[in-house]
Amino acid sequence: MLYANETYSYEPDKKDPWTYSWITIDGQNLDGLFLECGFTKEKPYVFLNEFDFFINNLVKLTDAYGNDTVYEFERSAYVLLILSKMIHQNMKKKNTEELKLEKKRSFRTAVAYIRDNYMLELDIYKIASSVLLSESYLKHLFKEMVHMSVTEFLNRYRISKACALFNQTTEENDAELAKKVGYTNYSYFIRVFNKYCGMSPREYKKAENAEDPFAWVKESMLMVFDKDEIDWLS
């Protein structure tokens, strides 16, 4: 879309040049109309599905040029047909984007709840009900967003917290630390710790651990959020 009274600079690809079809449109409230099609002055282009539909109707539009009134009707009809198709496609795109944003919001709420309540007795039902989601939707959300189950995410987050606490002090009793990160069953804590760290808590405390315990969760969140959106995690 080339807006009136704006300056543009462009050139076609030398190996695969564009084909141009120009239509000049005058009228009132055109900015609002083309905004509904997806155009703005900052982004004066859109990506179209059913490309042949637009090409065919542009050809019919250009073929309908003449001085008779019937040609004016034809041209108006083709312009309206093209614009209505573009508006429909833009509406579908906006609905898809809104759905993605809603999923991101729901996922962030669930992760934030785990971050703030990992030390409590949690299960999928408790997390889902606390963030006003169904259990099945919550399970689907984690699988889609970070390719892991809610339980796996919770366990990995708790173990990361345990590692962070071990990095702060090696003097604290392991069983007491396990309770601090949500494990009342110490044997289970040992099994989960070994699974994600590849060593026991005792071995971990003796090793030099310079890595960020939350590196995995930050990496996982980059599958969903931009880099500047994940500072709230740890």
Side-chain angles (χ1 to χ4, degrees):
M1 174 65 63
L2 305 185
Y3 289 83
N5 304 316
E6 297 287 334
T7 300
Y8 296 90
S9 176
Y10 60 93
E11 62 182 45
D13 188 302
K14 293 181 180 179
K15 294 182 180 179
D16 185 19
W18 302 341
T19 298
Y20 299 90
S21 295
W22 295 103
I23 301 171
T24 302
I25 301 178
D26 273 328
Q28 296 180 341
N29 302 318
L30 289 181
D31 283 359
L33 173 62
F34 289 116
L35 182 63
E36 291 297 315
C37 295
F39 294 105
T40 64
K41 289 185 178 180
E42 293 72 29
K43 189 180 80 68
Y45 58 88
V46 296
F47 294 95
L48 299 172
N49 300 322
E50 301 179 47
F51 193 66
D52 288 345
F53 169 89
F54 292 97
I55 293 298
N56 292 336
N57 282 284
L58 282 170
V59 171
K60 292 176 182 177
L61 174 59
T62 55
D63 287 345
Y65 268 81
N67 295 324
D68 294 343
T69 302
V70 66
Y71 288 120
E72 292 183 16
F73 288 142
E74 281 190 43
R75 291 195 297 271
S76 297
Y78 287 124
V79 168
L80 292 174
L81 190 61
I82 291 169
L83 294 178
S84 65
K85 189 73 169 181
M86 295 180 75
I87 291 171
H88 275 300
Q89 289 193 10
N90 191 46
M91 288 172 61
K92 288 180 180 179
K93 180 183 175 183
K94 287 197 293 186
N95 289 339
T96 301
E97 289 174 349
E98 287 172 3
L99 179 60
K100 288 181 180 178
L101 286 174
E102 182 57 37
K103 283 185 176 182
K104 284 178 66 173
R105 283 192 291 265
S106 296
F107 179 71
R108 176 171 177 150
T109 300
V111 171
Y113 181 83
I114 291 172
R115 177 201 62 190
D116 296 337
N117 299 278
Y118 66 91
M119 71 294 295
L120 304 178
E121 186 175 341
L122 295 181
D123 55 24
I124 294 176
Y125 172 77
K126 175 68 174 176
I127 297 170
S129 59
S130 297
V131 297
L132 304 178
L133 299 174
S134 69
E135 291 181 62
S136 60
Y137 183 72
L138 184 66
K139 291 177 183 178
H140 171 77
L141 202 57
F142 272 75
K143 284 291 186 182
E144 179 182 341
M145 295 296 188
V146 288
H147 309 307
M148 67 180 76
S149 68
V150 181
T151 301
E152 181 183 357
F153 187 92
L154 173 61
N155 277 327
R156 293 190 69 169
Y157 194 87
R158 282 171 164 170
I159 296 304
S160 294
K161 278 293 180 181
C163 290
L165 291 172
F166 280 138
N167 290 342
Q168 292 172 14
T169 177
T170 58
E171 302 299 323
E172 190 164 8
N173 179 278
D174 291 0
E176 290 301 316
L177 186 142
K179 290 179 181 178
K180 284 187 176 182
V181 296
Y183 294 101
T184 55
N185 185 323
Y186 181 62
S187 296
Y188 181 60
F189 168 72
I190 296 294
R191 291 200 302 273
V192 177
F193 195 97
N194 266 290
K195 177 180 179 180
Y196 293 118
C197 295
M199 64 184 78
S200 68
R202 181 174 296 180
E203 292 170 329
Y204 183 89
K205 287 191 291 185
K206 291 180 180 179
E208 293 184 3
N209 301 291
E211 294 184 1
D212 178 4
F214 292 96
W216 70 271
V217 72
K218 292 174 182 177
E219 184 177 339
S220 297
M221 292 302 105
L222 287 175
M223 299 167 63
V224 184
F225 304 102
D226 293 331
K227 189 173 182 179
D228 59 355
E229 296 180 294
I230 62 172
D231 294 338
W232 53 277
L233 284 168
S234 57

